[in-house]
Amino acid sequence: MSRIDEHPILGETKKGREVEFTFDGKKMKGYENEPIAIALKANGVMIHRYTKKEHKPRGLFCAIGRCTDCVMVVDGKPNIRTCVTPLKEGMEVRTQDGTKAAG
Amino acid sequence: MKRYEVIIVGAGPSGLSAAIEAAKRGVKVIVFDENEKPGGQLFKQIHKFFGSKEHHAKVRGFRIGDELLEEAAKLGVEVVLNATVVGLYSDKEVVVKIDESIHHYKGDTVIIATGAAENMVTFPGWTLPGVIGAGAAQTMMNLHGIQPGKKILMLGSGNVGLVVSFQLIQAGCEVVAIVDAAPRVGGYGVHAAKVARTGVPFYLSHTIKEVSGEDCVTGVTINEVDEHFTPIPGSEKTFDVDTVCLAVGLSPMSQLLKMAGCEMEDNPKRGGQVPIVDEYGQCSVDGIFAVGDVSGIEEASSAMIEGKMAGVCVSEYLGYIDEAEKKEELAKFDKDLSSLRQGMFAPENRGKVIEKTEEGIDISKNLLRNGFVADDEIERFPGVVHKVGVHPVIECTQNIPCNPCQDACSKGCISIGNNITCLPFVKDDSQCINCGMCVANCSGQAIFLVDEDLGDGSATVTLPYEFTPLPEVGTKGFGLSRSGEKICEAEVVSIKSVKAFDHTNLLTMKVPKEYAMKARFFKCS
């Protein structure tokens, strides 16, 4: 999905410095301290995890840290709410499968 | 265990307002909020607020948020962020999780201002990535500057569904439809009308049958429902979308109050499980207050007043002011709050079907069914008048508590009468100077400046325009009707953008004169 460069009311979006991170080993770019989920969305990633029993995809849903649908494995730690966790340089983000990293 | 005179849970509009009122009187206040940033949902609200001056009318929500934060900071209110309150006990002990540790605090008084959570509905495919809450859409586009999707279907025609639909269009997304199982639009007619005239169709008495897609949303099928909400076979319509947005109401986040042993009730008019409170938010447990959406779903303006009331009450409870001062202060807020709770959308009218305005005018049926007032209905409203030369046409057709239009006009052209909910009208003897302040100041974007006859077979219509790119003077295109249909050719003849309009640009288009009272939006060809 596209970032909004010029908003009619809000003007230009304030962004942190551009940083590199990985998603399932693939290099991606985002802005420092924006939620991980936003950086993923800007890179077209929709699936954050698969459910444990039925292996169904889940993605960003509430975007305020309440529903836990967007949890992923971040720097080896599972169940990280990517919608409220700030992106940092070099973060390793992985799709979560049940309660573990996928693959 | 650290002790505070007031512990406030939630740094949104009501919590911050409570903190400010208490701190102003010398009370030592601490506010906990689980989020990384304070302000609650205010920073996602980019539309101009309704109400009167006292309610920050015509100020955009995020600016009100800035004002509250600044005032709280000036008064030395301590706001602890990333702090999740996980426990509240009847002796006003508060348990807070900060990072990976648990902290205990004791409050002499506690104000719960935790707000509300979004409701959800389920249908086949509702768990697919791409089905999101309306709040999520606001968070993505207004806080983080990213489009939630390209093509979006909105479920829910309450104010949240309508406002977020408009914001999605502002963010450059396409809203393919607004769908609601109810037979009538739930939110303000003016919010519906400003979305409808851009060309978004409304499907009332419709609901989502299913969302399709393997890994994420690729389409959505809706169907019509009868008066018992049973799907009507054969009424299916399918849309190619990548996002489905759910705006189906809010529920109070009242768990902490229940945990503390406050008496609760299940009250559908207030949005679900709510504490039983007196008129100033005092719960059944002495010294625990509940303000804002947690004590009944309303909106930010009333939440702020409720917060102020509780801030005054705790100041008196703790001995910082006396009973007489409290009464005097509360009387002022009582007045502000009761003026907001009037009109056809007042809490007491929830669920009622209102057929006539306070003035005795039939409500537009088309507005409730399709989101816009039909051409054969609009003339009966008092703001819709015909005059020689430029004059305001006010398409405000429901009684809502709002009055910035009457202060906007320096020539005194517009009046709303005695009551804040009355429909505005244009005074007979008034002289419009075409300044555009009324157009820019109307929170509902319902005022147009019309010159019905330029003498050469054309007319001009000036409309509020809050989209990018802003068309240049000379741009040719189409005049759109109130329903968003292309009805005539149009040319942009003037664009006004001044600071006082606060990002509401005034676009003037020239149209054939027979469309002067019909064309209400401009679209480039």
PDB file of all heavy atoms in Angstrom, chain B residues 117-150:
ATOM      1  N   ALA B 117     -13.600   0.260  23.117  1.00  0.00           N
ATOM      2  CA  ALA B 117     -12.987  -0.589  22.089  1.00  0.00           C
ATOM      3  C   ALA B 117     -13.994  -0.780  20.971  1.00  0.00           C
ATOM      4  O   ALA B 117     -15.199  -0.676  21.177  1.00  0.00           O
ATOM      5  CB  ALA B 117     -12.604  -1.940  22.693  1.00  0.00           C
ATOM      6  N   GLU B 118     -13.493  -1.044  19.792  1.00  0.00           N
ATOM      7  CA  GLU B 118     -14.389  -1.211  18.642  1.00  0.00           C
ATOM      8  C   GLU B 118     -15.119  -2.549  18.700  1.00  0.00           C
ATOM      9  O   GLU B 118     -14.549  -3.562  19.083  1.00  0.00           O
ATOM     10  CB  GLU B 118     -13.585  -1.180  17.345  1.00  0.00           C
ATOM     11  CG  GLU B 118     -13.038   0.172  17.001  1.00  0.00           C
ATOM     12  CD  GLU B 118     -12.404   0.172  15.625  1.00  0.00           C
ATOM     13  OE1 GLU B 118     -11.245  -0.274  15.522  1.00  0.00           O
ATOM     14  OE2 GLU B 118     -13.067   0.612  14.672  1.00  0.00           O
ATOM     15  N   ASN B 119     -16.369  -2.530  18.275  1.00  0.00           N
ATOM     16  CA  ASN B 119     -17.123  -3.775  18.129  1.00  0.00           C
ATOM     17  C   ASN B 119     -16.754  -4.431  16.801  1.00  0.00           C
ATOM     18  O   ASN B 119     -16.281  -3.771  15.888  1.00  0.00           O
ATOM     19  CB  ASN B 119     -18.622  -3.499  18.116  1.00  0.00           C
ATOM     20  CG  ASN B 119     -19.104  -2.940  19.437  1.00  0.00           C
ATOM     21  OD1 ASN B 119     -18.433  -3.076  20.462  1.00  0.00           O
ATOM     22  ND2 ASN B 119     -20.263  -2.311  19.413  1.00  0.00           N
ATOM     23  N   MET B 120     -17.008  -5.712  16.731  1.00  0.00           N
ATOM     24  CA  MET B 120     -16.749  -6.434  15.502  1.00  0.00           C
ATOM     25  C   MET B 120     -17.981  -7.201  15.091  1.00  0.00           C
ATOM     26  O   MET B 120     -18.839  -7.487  15.912  1.00  0.00           O
ATOM     27  CB  MET B 120     -15.603  -7.427  15.712  1.00  0.00           C
ATOM     28  CG  MET B 120     -14.287  -6.730  15.888  1.00  0.00           C
ATOM     29  SD  MET B 120     -14.008  -5.642  14.480  1.00  0.00           S
ATOM     30  CE  MET B 120     -13.312  -4.211  15.288  1.00  0.00           C
ATOM     31  N   VAL B 121     -18.091  -7.547  13.839  1.00  0.00           N
ATOM     32  CA  VAL B 121     -19.114  -8.490  13.397  1.00  0.00           C
ATOM     33  C   VAL B 121     -18.388  -9.597  12.643  1.00  0.00           C
ATOM     34  O   VAL B 121     -17.310  -9.374  12.106  1.00  0.00           O
ATOM     35  CB  VAL B 121     -20.165  -7.848  12.465  1.00  0.00           C
ATOM     36  CG1 VAL B 121     -21.100  -6.959  13.224  1.00  0.00           C
ATOM     37  CG2 VAL B 121     -19.518  -7.113  11.324  1.00  0.00           C
ATOM     38  N   THR B 122     -18.995 -10.765  12.625  1.00  0.00           N
ATOM     39  CA  THR B 122     -18.334 -11.872  11.943  1.00  0.00           C
ATOM     40  C   THR B 122     -19.126 -12.266  10.703  1.00  0.00           C
ATOM     41  O   THR B 122     -20.348 -12.125  10.672  1.00  0.00           O
ATOM     42  CB  THR B 122     -18.185 -13.084  12.879  1.00  0.00           C
ATOM     43  OG1 THR B 122     -19.485 -13.489  13.285  1.00  0.00           O
ATOM     44  CG2 THR B 122     -17.367 -12.743  14.085  1.00  0.00           C
ATOM     45  N   PHE B 123     -18.404 -12.712   9.700  1.00  0.00           N
ATOM     46  CA  PHE B 123     -18.991 -13.215   8.452  1.00  0.00           C
ATOM     47  C   PHE B 123     -17.898 -14.075   7.835  1.00  0.00           C
ATOM     48  O   PHE B 123     -16.724 -13.950   8.222  1.00  0.00           O
ATOM     49  CB  PHE B 123     -19.408 -12.055   7.535  1.00  0.00           C
ATOM     50  CG  PHE B 123     -18.427 -10.916   7.504  1.00  0.00           C
ATOM     51  CD1 PHE B 123     -17.244 -10.998   6.784  1.00  0.00           C
ATOM     52  CD2 PHE B 123     -18.655  -9.759   8.255  1.00  0.00           C
ATOM     53  CE1 PHE B 123     -16.327  -9.959   6.784  1.00  0.00           C
ATOM     54  CE2 PHE B 123     -17.730  -8.717   8.252  1.00  0.00           C
ATOM     55  CZ  PHE B 123     -16.568  -8.821   7.513  1.00  0.00           C
ATOM     56  N   PRO B 124     -18.250 -14.946   6.889  1.00  0.00           N
ATOM     57  CA  PRO B 124     -17.180 -15.761   6.289  1.00  0.00           C
ATOM     58  C   PRO B 124     -16.099 -14.854   5.705  1.00  0.00           C
ATOM     59  O   PRO B 124     -16.407 -13.921   4.962  1.00  0.00           O
ATOM     60  CB  PRO B 124     -17.921 -16.534   5.184  1.00  0.00           C
ATOM     61  CG  PRO B 124     -19.352 -16.582   5.640  1.00  0.00           C
ATOM     62  CD  PRO B 124     -19.590 -15.297   6.365  1.00  0.00           C
ATOM     63  N   GLY B 125     -14.868 -15.109   6.104  1.00  0.00           N
ATOM     64  CA  GLY B 125     -13.745 -14.319   5.588  1.00  0.00           C
ATOM     65  C   GLY B 125     -13.355 -13.156   6.469  1.00  0.00           C
ATOM     66  O   GLY B 125     -12.450 -12.401   6.123  1.00  0.00           O
ATOM     67  N   TRP B 126     -14.008 -12.993   7.625  1.00  0.00           N
ATOM     68  CA  TRP B 126     -13.744 -11.781   8.423  1.00  0.00           C
ATOM     69  C   TRP B 126     -12.355 -11.761   9.052  1.00  0.00           C
ATOM     70  O   TRP B 126     -11.886 -10.710   9.443  1.00  0.00           O
ATOM     71  CB  TRP B 126     -14.818 -11.595   9.494  1.00  0.00           C
ATOM     72  CG  TRP B 126     -14.628 -12.394  10.745  1.00  0.00           C
ATOM     73  CD1 TRP B 126     -14.803 -13.725  10.886  1.00  0.00           C
ATOM     74  CD2 TRP B 126     -14.214 -11.904  12.031  1.00  0.00           C
ATOM     75  NE1 TRP B 126     -14.535 -14.115  12.171  1.00  0.00           N
ATOM     76  CE2 TRP B 126     -14.176 -13.012  12.901  1.00  0.00           C
ATOM     77  CE3 TRP B 126     -13.894 -10.638  12.533  1.00  0.00           C
ATOM     78  CZ2 TRP B 126     -13.799 -12.888  14.245  1.00  0.00           C
ATOM     79  CZ3 TRP B 126     -13.519 -10.519  13.885  1.00  0.00           C
ATOM     80  CH2 TRP B 126     -13.485 -11.635  14.710  1.00  0.00           C
ATOM     81  N   THR B 127     -11.698 -12.926   9.100  1.00  0.00           N
ATOM     82  CA  THR B 127     -10.358 -12.937   9.699  1.00  0.00           C
ATOM     83  C   THR B 127      -9.248 -12.716   8.670  1.00  0.00           C
ATOM     84  O   THR B 127      -8.079 -12.647   9.027  1.00  0.00           O
ATOM     85  CB  THR B 127     -10.094 -14.276  10.421  1.00  0.00           C
ATOM     86  OG1 THR B 127     -10.248 -15.340   9.475  1.00  0.00           O
ATOM     87  CG2 THR B 127     -11.056 -14.492  11.583  1.00  0.00           C
ATOM     88  N   LEU B 128      -9.614 -12.596   7.403  1.00  0.00           N
ATOM     89  CA  LEU B 128      -8.575 -12.417   6.374  1.00  0.00           C
ATOM     90  C   LEU B 128      -7.826 -11.096   6.553  1.00  0.00           C
ATOM     91  O   LEU B 128      -8.443 -10.068   6.864  1.00  0.00           O
ATOM     92  CB  LEU B 128      -9.224 -12.398   4.982  1.00  0.00           C
ATOM     93  CG  LEU B 128      -9.491 -13.727   4.287  1.00  0.00           C
ATOM     94  CD1 LEU B 128     -10.288 -13.472   3.008  1.00  0.00           C
ATOM     95  CD2 LEU B 128      -8.204 -14.455   3.967  1.00  0.00           C
ATOM     96  N   PRO B 129      -6.521 -11.109   6.316  1.00  0.00           N
ATOM     97  CA  PRO B 129      -5.806  -9.836   6.302  1.00  0.00           C
ATOM     98  C   PRO B 129      -6.442  -8.901   5.270  1.00  0.00           C
ATOM     99  O   PRO B 129      -6.705  -9.311   4.145  1.00  0.00           O
ATOM    100  CB  PRO B 129      -4.383 -10.242   5.881  1.00  0.00           C
ATOM    101  CG  PRO B 129      -4.255 -11.657   6.343  1.00  0.00           C
ATOM    102  CD  PRO B 129      -5.622 -12.260   6.152  1.00  0.00           C
ATOM    103  N   GLY B 130      -6.724  -7.684   5.678  1.00  0.00           N
ATOM    104  CA  GLY B 130      -7.421  -6.740   4.796  1.00  0.00           C
ATOM    105  C   GLY B 130      -8.780  -6.379   5.361  1.00  0.00           C
ATOM    106  O   GLY B 130      -9.360  -5.373   4.970  1.00  0.00           O
ATOM    107  N   VAL B 131      -9.289  -7.194   6.294  1.00  0.00           N
ATOM    108  CA  VAL B 131     -10.479  -6.789   7.046  1.00  0.00           C
ATOM    109  C   VAL B 131      -9.957  -6.071   8.286  1.00  0.00           C
ATOM    110  O   VAL B 131      -9.190  -6.655   9.056  1.00  0.00           O
ATOM    111  CB  VAL B 131     -11.356  -7.990   7.452  1.00  0.00           C
ATOM    112  CG1 VAL B 131     -12.536  -7.519   8.294  1.00  0.00           C
ATOM    113  CG2 VAL B 131     -11.839  -8.751   6.227  1.00  0.00           C
ATOM    114  N   ILE B 132     -10.319  -4.807   8.428  1.00  0.00           N
ATOM    115  CA  ILE B 132      -9.766  -4.007   9.536  1.00  0.00           C
ATOM    116  C   ILE B 132     -10.853  -3.208  10.235  1.00  0.00           C
ATOM    117  O   ILE B 132     -11.937  -3.011   9.691  1.00  0.00           O
ATOM    118  CB  ILE B 132      -8.675  -3.019   9.033  1.00  0.00           C
ATOM    119  CG1 ILE B 132      -9.257  -2.084   7.960  1.00  0.00           C
ATOM    120  CG2 ILE B 132      -7.460  -3.754   8.515  1.00  0.00           C
ATOM    121  CD1 ILE B 132      -8.341  -0.932   7.578  1.00  0.00           C
ATOM    122  N   GLY B 133     -10.546  -2.759  11.426  1.00  0.00           N
ATOM    123  CA  GLY B 133     -11.451  -1.864  12.142  1.00  0.00           C
ATOM    124  C   GLY B 133     -11.334  -0.460  11.551  1.00  0.00           C
ATOM    125  O   GLY B 133     -10.296  -0.096  10.985  1.00  0.00           O
ATOM    126  N   ALA B 134     -12.397   0.334  11.704  1.00  0.00           N
ATOM    127  CA  ALA B 134     -12.363   1.705  11.196  1.00  0.00           C
ATOM    128  C   ALA B 134     -11.297   2.509  11.942  1.00  0.00           C
ATOM    129  O   ALA B 134     -10.638   3.386  11.372  1.00  0.00           O
ATOM    130  CB  ALA B 134     -13.725   2.366  11.348  1.00  0.00           C
ATOM    131  N   GLY B 135     -11.130   2.209  13.216  1.00  0.00           N
ATOM    132  CA  GLY B 135     -10.103   2.885  14.011  1.00  0.00           C
ATOM    133  C   GLY B 135      -8.713   2.576  13.475  1.00  0.00           C
ATOM    134  O   GLY B 135      -7.833   3.435  13.460  1.00  0.00           O
ATOM    135  N   ALA B 136      -8.538   1.337  13.010  1.00  0.00           N
ATOM    136  CA  ALA B 136      -7.244   0.956  12.436  1.00  0.00           C
ATOM    137  C   ALA B 136      -6.973   1.788  11.194  1.00  0.00           C
ATOM    138  O   ALA B 136      -5.851   2.264  10.976  1.00  0.00           O
ATOM    139  CB  ALA B 136      -7.226  -0.529  12.091  1.00  0.00           C
ATOM    140  N   ALA B 137      -8.016   1.990  10.388  1.00  0.00           N
ATOM    141  CA  ALA B 137      -7.850   2.791   9.172  1.00  0.00           C
ATOM    142  C   ALA B 137      -7.413   4.203   9.539  1.00  0.00           C
ATOM    143  O   ALA B 137      -6.484   4.762   8.945  1.00  0.00           O
ATOM    144  CB  ALA B 137      -9.158   2.829   8.387  1.00  0.00           C
ATOM    145  N   GLN B 138      -8.049   4.779  10.562  1.00  0.00           N
ATOM    146  CA  GLN B 138      -7.689   6.136  11.000  1.00  0.00           C
ATOM    147  C   GLN B 138      -6.254   6.182  11.508  1.00  0.00           C
ATOM    148  O   GLN B 138      -5.520   7.129  11.249  1.00  0.00           O
ATOM    149  CB  GLN B 138      -8.601   6.573  12.153  1.00  0.00           C
ATOM    150  CG  GLN B 138      -9.941   7.082  11.697  1.00  0.00           C
ATOM    151  CD  GLN B 138     -10.647   7.799  12.831  1.00  0.00           C
ATOM    152  OE1 GLN B 138     -10.665   7.317  13.958  1.00  0.00           O
ATOM    153  NE2 GLN B 138     -11.233   8.926  12.530  1.00  0.00           N
ATOM    154  N   THR B 139      -5.885   5.154  12.282  1.00  0.00           N
ATOM    155  CA  THR B 139      -4.533   5.108  12.836  1.00  0.00           C
ATOM    156  C   THR B 139      -3.508   5.072  11.710  1.00  0.00           C
ATOM    157  O   THR B 139      -2.516   5.805  11.722  1.00  0.00           O
ATOM    158  CB  THR B 139      -4.375   3.858  13.724  1.00  0.00           C
ATOM    159  OG1 THR B 139      -5.431   3.859  14.688  1.00  0.00           O
ATOM    160  CG2 THR B 139      -3.036   3.838  14.431  1.00  0.00           C
ATOM    161  N   MET B 140      -3.777   4.219  10.721  1.00  0.00           N
ATOM    162  CA  MET B 140      -2.820   4.071   9.626  1.00  0.00           C
ATOM    163  C   MET B 140      -2.676   5.366   8.837  1.00  0.00           C
ATOM    164  O   MET B 140      -1.579   5.851   8.605  1.00  0.00           O
ATOM    165  CB  MET B 140      -3.275   2.953   8.681  1.00  0.00           C
ATOM    166  CG  MET B 140      -3.077   1.576   9.253  1.00  0.00           C
ATOM    167  SD  MET B 140      -3.510   0.355   7.983  1.00  0.00           S
ATOM    168  CE  MET B 140      -4.700  -0.607   8.857  1.00  0.00           C
ATOM    169  N   MET B 141      -3.805   5.954   8.423  1.00  0.00           N
ATOM    170  CA  MET B 141      -3.679   7.100   7.514  1.00  0.00           C
ATOM    171  C   MET B 141      -3.387   8.411   8.231  1.00  0.00           C
ATOM    172  O   MET B 141      -2.620   9.221   7.722  1.00  0.00           O
ATOM    173  CB  MET B 141      -4.909   7.232   6.616  1.00  0.00           C
ATOM    174  CG  MET B 141      -6.210   7.396   7.341  1.00  0.00           C
ATOM    175  SD  MET B 141      -7.579   7.197   6.178  1.00  0.00           S
ATOM    176  CE  MET B 141      -8.948   7.159   7.316  1.00  0.00           C
ATOM    177  N   ASN B 142      -3.960   8.615   9.415  1.00  0.00           N
ATOM    178  CA  ASN B 142      -3.828   9.934  10.041  1.00  0.00           C
ATOM    179  C   ASN B 142      -2.660  10.033  11.023  1.00  0.00           C
ATOM    180  O   ASN B 142      -2.196  11.121  11.315  1.00  0.00           O
ATOM    181  CB  ASN B 142      -5.127  10.324  10.751  1.00  0.00           C
ATOM    182  CG  ASN B 142      -6.289  10.424   9.769  1.00  0.00           C
ATOM    183  OD1 ASN B 142      -6.076  10.537   8.565  1.00  0.00           O
ATOM    184  ND2 ASN B 142      -7.505  10.363  10.277  1.00  0.00           N
ATOM    185  N   LEU B 143      -2.212   8.895  11.560  1.00  0.00           N
ATOM    186  CA  LEU B 143      -1.048   8.938  12.444  1.00  0.00           C
ATOM    187  C   LEU B 143       0.221   8.533  11.720  1.00  0.00           C
ATOM    188  O   LEU B 143       1.276   9.103  11.931  1.00  0.00           O
ATOM    189  CB  LEU B 143      -1.238   7.995  13.639  1.00  0.00           C
ATOM    190  CG  LEU B 143      -2.112   8.431  14.789  1.00  0.00           C
ATOM    191  CD1 LEU B 143      -1.926   7.469  15.954  1.00  0.00           C
ATOM    192  CD2 LEU B 143      -1.816   9.848  15.238  1.00  0.00           C
ATOM    193  N   HIS B 144       0.101   7.485  10.881  1.00  0.00           N
ATOM    194  CA  HIS B 144       1.314   6.927  10.292  1.00  0.00           C
ATOM    195  C   HIS B 144       1.465   7.209   8.808  1.00  0.00           C
ATOM    196  O   HIS B 144       2.429   6.757   8.185  1.00  0.00           O
ATOM    197  CB  HIS B 144       1.367   5.421  10.569  1.00  0.00           C
ATOM    198  CG  HIS B 144       1.283   5.085  12.026  1.00  0.00           C
ATOM    199  ND1 HIS B 144       2.165   5.615  12.953  1.00  0.00           N
ATOM    200  CD2 HIS B 144       0.421   4.319  12.729  1.00  0.00           C
ATOM    201  CE1 HIS B 144       1.843   5.165  14.161  1.00  0.00           C
ATOM    202  NE2 HIS B 144       0.784   4.381  14.055  1.00  0.00           N
ATOM    203  N   GLY B 145       0.496   7.930   8.226  1.00  0.00           N
ATOM    204  CA  GLY B 145       0.649   8.375   6.837  1.00  0.00           C
ATOM    205  C   GLY B 145       0.708   7.266   5.811  1.00  0.00           C
ATOM    206  O   GLY B 145       1.488   7.339   4.861  1.00  0.00           O
ATOM    207  N   ILE B 146      -0.108   6.239   5.993  1.00  0.00           N
ATOM    208  CA  ILE B 146      -0.135   5.175   4.993  1.00  0.00           C
ATOM    209  C   ILE B 146      -1.586   4.844   4.645  1.00  0.00           C
ATOM    210  O   ILE B 146      -2.463   4.879   5.517  1.00  0.00           O
ATOM    211  CB  ILE B 146       0.638   3.925   5.494  1.00  0.00           C
ATOM    212  CG1 ILE B 146       0.854   2.938   4.344  1.00  0.00           C
ATOM    213  CG2 ILE B 146      -0.056   3.243   6.664  1.00  0.00           C
ATOM    214  CD1 ILE B 146       1.973   1.963   4.599  1.00  0.00           C
ATOM    215  N   GLN B 147      -1.825   4.556   3.371  1.00  0.00           N
ATOM    216  CA  GLN B 147      -3.185   4.188   2.970  1.00  0.00           C
ATOM    217  C   GLN B 147      -3.518   2.800   3.502  1.00  0.00           C
ATOM    218  O   GLN B 147      -2.743   1.870   3.321  1.00  0.00           O
ATOM    219  CB  GLN B 147      -3.285   4.175   1.437  1.00  0.00           C
ATOM    220  CG  GLN B 147      -3.187   5.546   0.813  1.00  0.00           C
ATOM    221  CD  GLN B 147      -3.258   5.476  -0.709  1.00  0.00           C
ATOM    222  OE1 GLN B 147      -2.953   4.458  -1.312  1.00  0.00           O
ATOM    223  NE2 GLN B 147      -3.641   6.583  -1.316  1.00  0.00           N
ATOM    224  N   PRO B 148      -4.696   2.656   4.127  1.00  0.00           N
ATOM    225  CA  PRO B 148      -5.087   1.319   4.608  1.00  0.00           C
ATOM    226  C   PRO B 148      -5.328   0.348   3.457  1.00  0.00           C
ATOM    227  O   PRO B 148      -5.179  -0.852   3.612  1.00  0.00           O
ATOM    228  CB  PRO B 148      -6.396   1.581   5.349  1.00  0.00           C
ATOM    229  CG  PRO B 148      -6.430   3.042   5.603  1.00  0.00           C
ATOM    230  CD  PRO B 148      -5.657   3.689   4.496  1.00  0.00           C
ATOM    231  N   GLY B 149      -5.694   0.872   2.300  1.00  0.00           N
ATOM    232  CA  GLY B 149      -5.931   0.028   1.128  1.00  0.00           C
ATOM    233  C   GLY B 149      -6.150   0.935  -0.060  1.00  0.00           C
ATOM    234  O   GLY B 149      -6.083   2.156   0.052  1.00  0.00           O
ATOM    235  N   LYS B 150      -6.402   0.326  -1.210  1.00  0.00           N
ATOM    236  CA  LYS B 150      -6.680   1.131  -2.414  1.00  0.00           C
ATOM    237  C   LYS B 150      -8.184   1.249  -2.628  1.00  0.00           C
ATOM    238  O   LYS B 150      -8.707   2.316  -2.894  1.00  0.00           O
ATOM    239  CB  LYS B 150      -6.040   0.478  -3.644  1.00  0.00           C
ATOM    240  CG  LYS B 150      -4.540   0.568  -3.675  1.00  0.00           C
ATOM    241  CD  LYS B 150      -4.094   1.972  -4.078  1.00  0.00           C
ATOM    242  CE  LYS B 150      -2.576   2.062  -4.003  1.00  0.00           C
ATOM    243  NZ  LYS B 150      -2.135   3.441  -3.782  1.00  0.00           N
TER     244      LYS B 150
END
